Amino acid sequence: MTEEFTTNADANRRQVLYWRLMSRLFSADEQPSLETASMAIVDDIGLPPALLDPGVSMNNLMQRFPELDGAFDGLLAPPPDDQAVPEGEIGAEEVRRAALVSKLLINVFCTGQGNVTAQQLSDWQADAGWFRRAAGRGGASGGSSGGGEGGGRQAGTGSGGGPSFGDADVNAALNAIEGDLVSRMRLREVLADPNLARQLTPSMSLIEQLLRDKSNLSGVALANAKKLIKRFVDEVAEVLKTQVEKTTVGVIDRSVPPKRVFRNLDLERTIWKNLTNWSPEDERLYVDKLFYKRTARRTTPARLIVVVDQSGSMVDSMVNCTILASIFAGLPKVDVHLIAYDTTAIDLTPWVGDPFETLLRTNLGGGTDGTVALELAKPKVESPKDTVVVWISDYYEWKTEELWREFEALHRSGVRFIPVGSVTSGGAGVVNPWFRQKFKDLGTPVLSGRIKKLVFELKKFLT
């Protein structure tokens, strides 16, 4: 009887904590009875009262209560089937888990209303990082590649170019929340104050806002905005470089005889071809012919033409592809060109080696007319078989039929045409279904997903 009562009591405690969680998520008003009951439960199971205070960030909580270190790791990941707790066997550990889960979800998804300070944005970004870490999908200590200078137990930011939650819907939700927080900041005032500007952690949402507002900034505010953009660009570039660094350029030219030097000696082939000369009596292999590896590669540079839709829905792709283009531009035998467009097009090739300067010249927003970008791209195709065109857009175009005919012509000319629906960290993106089907029928299906997919396709063409 006592054991049954204890189990029921723990189930009731857990239920109270989840009722409080639901109340907080769907209403801005506190429910005093739920708050009082939850405080008593948390105190009874030995957790700090600060766990129930939404104003206490996750980093602050971990600094004040180091005994919680590790308590959130993998907390939201579903347990294996053989470890799932039946409803009738809920114990104190499940009550503790409910309290920890509530802390995470309230901190991340209850962001209130009104103006947001730089510190509040920074705290939320770190909380989102803890959320990802609890889900077992990145956000490890020390910050993510998308920004963040967290050290020690800090989980880093929850967005940008760093590790991403596997569920695209949740990832999109986090990005939307962050975008809302950034829009509620008095960003110009924050940037004008060096102390406040230093508190900002660069992320994709923040970079988007800075790029949209850069024409309205000047003096100290503009200088601080440029520092944030450059910091974000450098951090994302470090991640992408590791994905591209093993790329070698140029196929082996079999028509050129191998140079007969020691570094080109093909030992395995030489031994295999001379095995008939093995002498059992002498226990020696007599070599009468040496074989060498061919190392000559094509001299014609591979031309990479990247065309990016810079309309409002494609900001993430614009930033990532600008950085990616600059990295490929640093490889030998790759001639990289970059074009951005909305209803007008701009050739960014002169600045392709510097993604920071390139992004400062973009003009985010507007409609979508790919035909203007084609007018800049087509003259760059000199040797179709040595050219790859990467076209990044959601393909919601004004001149649909006309643009499609041009795409078909490029493909049939021998150009390696790679249509891309999104080049983001999370892989979320919407593509016009008409274009998606057309590309599939043409044999060039749209790549919509993580940036690694595009890197893989480009490496296949260049190696």
Side-chain angles (χ1 to χ4, degrees):
M1 179 68 70
T2 304
E3 182 179 346
E4 181 181 352
F5 176 79
T6 303
T7 301
N8 289 338
D10 286 333
N12 291 338
R13 288 177 173 185
R14 187 185 71 162
Q15 195 64 44
V16 168
L17 291 171
Y18 282 143
W19 280 339
R20 173 183 176 270
L21 170 62
M22 298 299 289
S23 173
R24 285 276 189 166
L25 289 175
F26 292 103
S27 174
D29 299 327
E30 290 186 9
Q31 299 296 322
S33 58
L34 289 176
E35 295 296 328
T36 301
S38 298
M39 184 67 72
I41 293 169
V42 166
D43 181 63
D44 190 53
I45 61 178
L47 290 173
L51 200 72
L52 298 178
D53 185 354
V56 177
S57 70
M58 289 296 299
N59 283 344
N60 191 313
L61 182 73
M62 301 305 288
Q63 289 166 0
R64 289 167 57 185
F65 304 100
E67 64 271 18
L68 292 177
D69 188 22
F72 292 88
D73 292 349
L75 183 68
L76 299 178
D81 292 338
D82 59 347
Q83 296 181 20
V85 179
E87 189 66 26
E89 299 179 13
I90 293 171
E93 187 58 36
E94 286 301 301
V95 180
R96 173 185 170 87
R97 183 176 183 277
L100 297 174
V101 167
S102 296
K103 174 63 178 174
L104 266 180
L105 296 184
I106 289 173
N107 271 38
V108 171
F109 293 100
C110 297
T111 57
Q113 298 176 344
N115 293 334
V116 174
T117 66
Q119 185 60 54
Q120 286 173 323
L121 175 63
S122 179
D123 286 343
W124 182 89
Q125 289 173 325
D127 288 346
W130 281 102
F131 178 85
R132 296 173 188 276
R133 178 170 169 177
R137 299 298 183 103
S141 298
S144 76
S145 59
E149 297 182 60
R153 297 183 178 85
Q154 292 187 12
T157 70
S159 53
S164 299
F165 194 83
D167 186 337
D169 291 333
V170 175
N171 196 54
L174 292 178
N175 289 340
I177 293 172
E178 183 177 26
D180 175 65
L181 291 171
V182 171
S183 69
R184 286 157 51 192
M185 289 183 66
R186 294 182 176 178
L187 194 54
R188 297 177 193 176
E189 295 178 17
V190 172
L191 291 171
D193 186 330
N195 292 325
L196 292 176
R198 276 195 292 270
Q199 295 178 34
L200 292 174
T201 301
S203 64
M204 190 62 74
S205 297
L206 182 59
I207 297 309
E208 176 182 350
Q209 193 71 19
L210 293 175
L211 290 174
R212 290 186 187 281
D213 203 37
K214 64 181 184 293
S215 60
N216 297 315
L217 301 175
S218 60
V220 174
L222 181 59
N224 285 327
K226 288 182 175 181
K227 286 179 183 178
L228 284 165
I229 295 171
K230 189 172 191 316
R231 185 169 140 205
F232 182 81
V233 166
D234 291 345
E235 289 171 350
V236 176
E238 280 302 310
V239 176
L240 296 184
K241 281 178 183 176
T242 63
Q243 298 175 22
V244 179
E245 62 184 0
K246 294 183 180 180
T247 302
T248 57
V249 178
V251 295
I252 299 294
D253 189 344
R254 298 289 176 183
S255 66
V256 179
K259 289 185 177 180
R260 295 177 177 273
V261 294
F262 179 75
R263 69 173 178 271
N264 289 345
L265 181 63
D266 191 336
L267 280 175
E268 289 186 7
R269 191 171 177 221
T270 297
I271 293 172
W272 178 257
K273 291 291 187 179
N274 287 280
L275 281 178
T276 55
N277 298 329
W278 170 256
S279 172
E281 294 81 11
D282 300 339
E283 293 187 349
R284 289 184 179 182
L285 179 66
Y286 291 94
V287 177
D288 57 16
K289 186 175 183 181
L290 297 174
F291 293 84
Y292 296 86
K293 297 176 182 178
R294 298 175 187 269
T295 57
R297 296 184 179 271
R298 67 180 179 192
T299 56
T300 304
R303 177 158 289 186
L304 170 60
I305 303 173
V306 181
V307 183
V308 190
D309 175 354
Q310 65 173 351
S311 62
S313 60
M314 300 296 295
V315 175
D316 202 341
S317 291
M318 181 72 223
V319 173
N320 277 299
C321 283
T322 297
I323 297 169
L324 187 64
S326 74
I327 294 170
F328 274 100
L331 296 176
K333 300 293 183 184
V334 183
D335 181 20
V336 180
H337 296 253
L338 179 62
I339 297 168
Y341 77 98
D342 42 40
T343 54
T344 60
I346 178 174
D347 189 347
L348 297 168
T349 304
W351 305 279
V352 72
D354 188 338
F356 170 66
E357 288 296 330
T358 302
L359 286 173
L360 290 182
R361 285 169 169 79
T362 59
N363 184 29
L364 302 178
T368 312
D369 182 4
T371 60
V372 297
L374 271 172
E375 293 304 311
L376 291 180
K378 285 193 296 184
K380 296 177 180 291
V381 181
E382 297 174 355
S383 175
K385 68 182 181 63
D386 295 311
T387 302
V388 58
V389 173
V390 178
W391 195 287
I392 303 103
S393 175
D394 55 12
Y395 300 97
Y396 282 93
E397 294 280 341
W398 288 2
K399 302 174 182 177
T400 303
E401 298 282 355
E402 180 181 344
L403 185 61
W404 175 249
R405 288 193 294 271
E406 295 284 3
F407 285 162
E408 278 189 306
L410 271 178
H411 174 71
R412 288 170 180 161
S413 72
V415 167
R416 174 79 163 93
F417 191 87
I418 303 178
V420 184
S422 64
V423 182
T424 65
S425 354
V430 178
V431 175
N432 184 333
W434 187 87
F435 267 101
R436 185 186 290 279
Q437 187 59 48
K438 284 288 189 179
F439 281 123
K440 185 177 180 181
D441 295 341
L442 191 64
T444 58
V446 175
L447 289 180
S448 288
R450 299 181 185 278
I451 197 168
K452 286 183 179 179
K453 289 185 180 179
L454 177 57
V455 172
F456 176 75
E457 288 298 321
L458 292 177
K459 287 170 74 172
K460 279 203 306 185
F461 178 80
L462 296 171
T463 54

